[in-house]
């Protein structure tokens, strides 16, 4: 029998998926008859791929076996492949440790958006900080979208810093997403309304309760779609607000308003340097030129300094009080303690003269002359400028709010915090230290201290008598747990919410005190 082998052709093209071969031959039947016969032999090319796959599996199995053996006695080359070994390998541990933990964000709050709220904060760092907390609470209550607040650039300090230069803006937005929608800027359509002058701008009324925003501000937002609130300091009441609003103010202050990584790192470095030498006290010595000019407090200043301060006060039209009786104001406890008075009080409170004292303040008015007595009493006076290298502070120069943020972080970590004036930083730091576990904060009662200081200076009191009276009057002014003092219709005179946010703190069940 003879066979011819022919390739099957379909439509003039060979089939690339399968290969069929046809065998043609001749069969010789009995009787001598010859008959043509055909047989198709199918040899699919898929067999080639199967062979390759099997070979690959075999090779990979061999590699795995070699690696497993190499864990015990293999060459160094294999040992340097951390992804091939278990978690006991040091290289693998290092790799895993370098991967940041996944941050779990709260779920977005779903609500009908009533419009957009823009905010321009005024004042120094902590005045703006409190205002931001208030505005977040208001935006949440009104179901509006908050635009990242604009910071003051026209105050005495003229700091050009934007929100994101001081605070971690992404943390601010993400950590509050279950409460309020916050955007870095207006979307195109409402932005166009602002450009066309169709938005509404106003300063809200100070110390207002939440009903003011419901009845007065919300209708404006619904009408104009975008409302811009300016001068937002102290615009929300201390007391009489729903508990959820008070707790949200705390959440913003203590969790959402995190400083930038650069500020946080430098703060940790400063605290580390201080801790290496033992405990330290932060003295918020509020005796800078702007404070004295604004308050009109000139005790201990010479005639030239008094004139300089008065000139500055008249130079700022928004400082409404111009004619000020300095001595009367001092006796009412409305002036910051001088550096000389501060030295006396610290000694009377038995503060160790060897303790490190970190001065959290700007340039002290009067310079070395006014600091001499404090320096003599407490020789371990330090400032950020003396603890850190110039290169550390180079980025923060001419940015007073960023410098204040650094002082804020060091103040939180100090063993003792002593403010000489109850301004915004003193109050906000005091409240934050309460939140951190009622850390020791000495709240100086200046109205009580000033007459004692004068009696001692005039030698009408001995040192022992003076010291005993100072200690006795401040025994319960060390940042202990207590309720805020509420004074109806006089919010400026009652305890400030951010100095003592007791709704967010563990306290004994005792009624609100009133005077």
């Amino acid at each position: 029998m003879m066979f011819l082998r022919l390739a099957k052709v379909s439509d003039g093209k060979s089939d690339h998926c399968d290969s069929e071969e046809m065998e043609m031959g001749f069969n010789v039947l009995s009787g001598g008859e010859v008959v043509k016969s055909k047989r198709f032999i199918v040899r699919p090319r898929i067999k080639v791929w199967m062979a390759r796959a099997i070979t690959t599996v075999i090779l990979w199995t061999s590699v795995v076996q070699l690696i497993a053996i190499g864990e015990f006695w293999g060459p160094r080359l294999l040992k340097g492949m951390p992804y091939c070994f278990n978690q006991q390998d040091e290289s693998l541990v290092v790799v895993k440790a370098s991967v940041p933990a996944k941050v779990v964000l709260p779920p977005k709050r779903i609500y009908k958006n009533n419009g957009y709220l823009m905010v321009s904060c005024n004042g120094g760092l902590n005045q703006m900080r409190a205002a931001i907390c208030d505005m977040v609470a208001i935006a949440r209550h009104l179901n509006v979208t908050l635009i990242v607040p604009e910071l003051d650039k026209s105050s005495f300090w003229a700091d050009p810093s934007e929100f994101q230069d001081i605070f971690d803006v992404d943390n601010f937005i993400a950590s509050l997403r279950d409460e309020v929608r916050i955007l870095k800027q207006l979307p195109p359509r409402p932005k166009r309304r602002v450009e066309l002058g169709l938005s509404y701008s106003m300063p809200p009324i100070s110390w207002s309760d939440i009903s003011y925003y419901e009845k007065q501000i919300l209708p404006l937002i619904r009408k104009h779609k975008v409302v811009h609130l300016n001068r937002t300091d102290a615009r929300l009441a201390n007391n009489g607000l729903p508990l959820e609003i008070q707790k949200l103010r705390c959440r913003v202050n203590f969790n959402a308003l995190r400083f930038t990584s650069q500020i946080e790192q430098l703060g940790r470095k400063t605290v580390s340097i201080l801790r290496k030498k033992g405990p330290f006290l932060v003295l918020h010595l509020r005796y800078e030129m702007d404070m004295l000019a604004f308050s009109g407090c000139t005790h201990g200043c010479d005639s030239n300094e008094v004139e300089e301060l008065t000139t500055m006060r008249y130079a700022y039209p928004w400082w409404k009080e111009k004619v000020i009786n300095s001595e009367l104001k001092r006796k009412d406890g409305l002036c910051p303690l001088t550096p000389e008075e501060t030295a006396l009080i610290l000694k009377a409170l038995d503060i160790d003269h060897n303790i490190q004292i970190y001065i959290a303040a700007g340039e002290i008015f009067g310079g070395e002359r006014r600091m001499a007595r404090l320096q003599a009493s407490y020789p371990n006076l330090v400032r950020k400028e003396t603890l850190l290298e110039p290169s550390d502070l180079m980025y923060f120069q001419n940015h007073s709010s960023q410098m204040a943020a650094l002082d804020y972080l060091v103040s939180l970590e100090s063993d003792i915090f002593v403010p000489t004036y109850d301004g915004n930083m003193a109050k906000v730091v005091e409240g934050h230290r309460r939140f951190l576990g009622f850390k020791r904060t000495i709240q100086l009662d200046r109205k009580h201290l000033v007459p004692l200081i004068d009696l001692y200076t005039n030698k009408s009191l001995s040192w022992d008598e003076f010291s005993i009276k100072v200690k006795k009057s401040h025994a319960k002014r060390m940042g202990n747990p207590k309720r805020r003092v509420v004074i109806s219709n006089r919010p400026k005179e009652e305890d400030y919410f951010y100095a003592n946010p007791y709704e967010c703190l563990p306290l004994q069940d005792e009624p609100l005190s009133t005077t």
Side-chain angles (χ1 to χ4, degrees), residues 399-453:
H399 294 83
S400 58
S401 291
Q402 295 181 48
M403 287 286 202
L406 178 59
D407 284 342
Y408 186 96
L409 289 174
V410 179
S411 298
L412 291 184
E413 295 297 324
S414 64
D415 298 281
I416 308 172
F417 177 64
V418 183
T420 61
Y421 185 74
D422 55 353
N424 288 288
M425 177 167 175
K427 292 174 181 176
V428 178
V429 169
E430 177 189 344
H432 205 150
R433 286 172 65 86
R434 288 177 184 273
F435 178 77
L436 294 174
F438 300 100
K439 301 176 77 171
R440 191 179 182 192
T441 300
I442 303 178
Q443 306 143 356
L444 299 179
D445 185 348
R446 296 183 308 282
K447 189 172 184 178
H448 181 76
L449 288 174
V450 165
L452 289 179
I453 291 171

Side-chain angles (χ1 to χ4, degrees), residues 14 117 173 208 219 228 272 282 299 312 317 323 329 343 364 382 384 465 490 494:
S14 61
L117 180 63
I173 294 172
S208 299
H228 175 213
S272 176
V282 167
H299 184 73
M312 172 180 274
V323 180
K329 199 164 187 178
I364 301 302
V382 296
K384 49 187 170 288
E465 291 172 324
R490 287 186 292 167
E494 65 185 6

Side-chain angles (χ1 to χ4, degrees), residues 60 62-72 74 78 81 84-85:
W60 177 247
S62 301
V63 171
V64 172
Q65 292 296 327
L66 286 173
I67 290 173
I69 296 171
E71 185 174 355
F72 299 99
L78 290 178
M81 300 168 63
C84 297
F85 296 94

Side-chain angles (χ1 to χ4, degrees), residues 123-394:
L125 173 67
N126 293 284
Q127 188 172 333
M128 294 189 292
R129 184 186 185 104
I132 292 167
C133 298
D134 289 351
M135 292 301 112
V136 169
I138 291 166
R140 197 266 182 223
H141 190 77
L142 300 182
N143 286 341
V144 298
T145 296
L146 178 68
I147 306 304
V148 168
E150 178 185 24
L151 304 187
D152 191 350
K153 300 176 183 61
S154 60
S155 63
F156 169 80
W157 301 277
D159 188 341
S161 299
E162 301 287 353
F163 186 98
Q164 62 270 18
D165 297 323
I166 300 173
F167 300 108
D168 184 339
V169 65
D170 292 325
N171 178 74
F172 176 68
I173 294 172
S175 65
L176 294 170
R177 55 188 249 152
D178 60 328
E179 295 284 1
V180 62
R181 184 185 181 211
I182 304 175
L183 301 178
K184 294 182 181 179
Q185 59 183 2
L186 282 169
R189 290 185 66 183
K191 184 178 181 180
R192 182 61 177 163
R193 290 184 62 85
V194 172
E195 293 170 348
L196 294 174
L198 300 177
S199 62
Y200 191 86
S201 182
M202 62 174 288
I205 297 175
S206 300
W207 308 112
S208 299
D209 61 23
I210 201 64
S211 64
Y212 164 78
Y213 291 92
E214 293 173 350
K215 297 175 182 178
Q216 301 295 325
I217 306 301
L218 183 56
L220 291 173
I221 295 175
R222 285 174 170 161
K223 178 181 179 180
H224 299 280
K225 306 305 178 185
V226 181
V227 166
H228 175 213
L229 298 183
N230 51 53
R231 300 191 62 81
T232 53
D233 61 314
R235 304 297 154 163
L236 194 56
N238 292 311
N239 304 293
L241 299 175
L243 182 60
E244 61 268 18
I245 288 181
Q246 301 291 57
K247 287 186 174 294
L248 180 55
R249 293 165 97 181
C250 291
R251 179 177 170 186
V252 180
N253 191 23
F254 303 138
N255 299 113
L257 286 178
R258 181 190 301 165
F259 293 121
T260 63
S261 59
Q262 293 90 342
I263 295 173
E264 294 273 356
Q265 289 170 10
L266 194 56
R268 286 193 292 269
K269 180 177 180 179
T270 307
V271 171
S272 176
I273 293 171
L274 288 163
R275 283 273 175 242
K276 289 178 181 178
K277 296 183 179 180
F280 67 96
L281 177 152
V282 167
L283 179 63
H284 183 42
L285 190 59
R286 196 69 172 94
Y287 207 75
E288 301 100 336
M289 186 177 183
D290 67 294
M291 179 69 237
L292 301 180
F294 173 78
S295 64
C297 297
T298 58
H299 184 73
C301 298
D302 59 34
S303 58
N304 291 330
E305 290 172 335
V306 172
E307 183 178 352
E308 186 179 2
L309 294 173
T310 303
T311 300
M312 172 180 274
R313 183 164 67 254
Y314 277 88
Y316 289 88
W318 53 87
W319 292 354
K320 297 180 180 180
E321 194 176 12
K322 302 300 182 182
V323 180
I324 300 174
N325 186 322
S326 176
E327 287 305 311
L328 182 61
K329 199 164 187 178
R330 176 176 174 267
K331 289 180 180 179
D332 287 338
L334 301 176
C335 288
L337 293 183
T338 68
E340 298 90 348
E341 292 170 338
T342 302
L344 279 177
I345 298 305
L346 293 180
K347 288 174 66 178
L349 291 170
D350 289 339
I351 300 297
D352 187 351
H353 72 281
N354 288 319
I355 195 171
Q356 298 175 95
I357 296 184
Y358 177 94
I359 304 295
E363 183 178 352
I364 301 302
F365 188 66
E368 293 182 3
R369 178 180 70 83
R370 300 304 301 273
M371 292 293 289
R373 189 178 300 180
L374 182 60
Q375 183 76 59
S377 301
Y378 292 91
N380 292 325
L381 292 182
V382 296
R383 305 174 64 97
K384 49 187 170 288
E385 292 84 359
T386 61
L387 291 174
L388 301 169
E389 297 295 330
S391 58
D392 292 326
L393 294 171
M394 179 175 62

